[in-house]
Amino acid sequence: LGLMEVLPDDCVQVGKKELMYAGTVGLIIYLGGVIFINRKSTTSAKMVMAEVAKTMATDNVKVWVYPEGTRNCTGDLLPFKKGAFHLAVQAQVPVIPVVYSSFTTFYNPKKNLFTSGTIKVEVLPPIETKGLTSDDVSDLTDRCFHIMRETLFRLSGRPS
C-alpha cells in the first residue's frame, strides 16, 4: 500500500504471473494495470518486456520492477534478476532505485502477520543507461544491487 504513495503518474508495475491468482490481491493488481510476466517461459517474458520497452518510448510510461523477483523475509536482498536492467538499457531510460527499509522487526512469516511498525522509503538518484548496451547489463545490475543493499542496511539500522 505504501507503494501507492510514491508511484509517479503514468507508471505501471511488472509482476510475476502467479500473483494474478492471489485472490483479492490478484484481482486488485490486475485491475490496477500490472503487467504480468511468465517467469517460467523466458521467451514469453522477453516478448512482453520488448513490448513494454516500446510502450515506454511511445507513451512515456514509467515501469516499476521488483528486481529480486520474489518476497524476501531475511532482511537482506536476494540476487537481482536482470530483466529490469535489460529493459532499462533497451529503452535507454534511467534506473531510479527505490529502497524500503526491512519489515522483519514487525512481520512474522510463520503466521503471515504484520504488527505495528515503521517503514522508511528512500528514492535514490537516477542511474543513467544512455549509451549502454546489453553487454553492460551485468555491471548495471551489480551496481544497482550494491547501492540498494547499502541503502537498505542504512535505512534498517543494520551495519553493512
Side-chain angles (χ1 to χ4, degrees), residues 33-69:
V34 168
I35 299 167
F36 293 101
I37 301 292
N38 182 355
R39 297 185 313 168
K40 294 178 182 162
S41 169
T42 303
T43 305
S44 170
K46 284 182 179 179
M47 287 184 349
V48 169
M49 292 302 259
E51 285 300 313
V52 170
K54 286 181 198 172
T55 303
M56 289 173 74
T58 59
D59 299 339
N60 195 29
V61 171
K62 298 157 193 80
V63 179
W64 189 286
V65 181
Y66 304 89
E68 286 182 286

Side-chain angles (χ1 to χ4, degrees), residues 48-117:
V48 169
M49 292 302 259
E51 285 300 313
V52 170
K54 286 181 198 172
T55 303
M56 289 173 74
T58 59
D59 299 339
N60 195 29
V61 171
K62 298 157 193 80
V63 179
W64 189 286
V65 181
Y66 304 89
E68 286 182 286
T70 192
R71 176 160 292 199
N72 173 7
C73 297
T74 66
D76 198 353
L77 292 179
L78 296 174
F80 285 178
K81 306 218 181 290
K82 293 183 182 173
F85 304 98
H86 277 288
L87 177 63
V89 167
Q90 185 176 356
Q92 292 289 283
V93 297
V95 173
I96 303 173
V98 178
V99 181
Y100 280 67
S101 62
S102 175
F103 54 80
T104 56
T105 59
F106 57 89
Y107 176 66
N108 182 336
K110 291 180 182 170
K111 294 183 180 179
N112 201 20
L113 180 69
F114 282 94
T115 57
S116 180

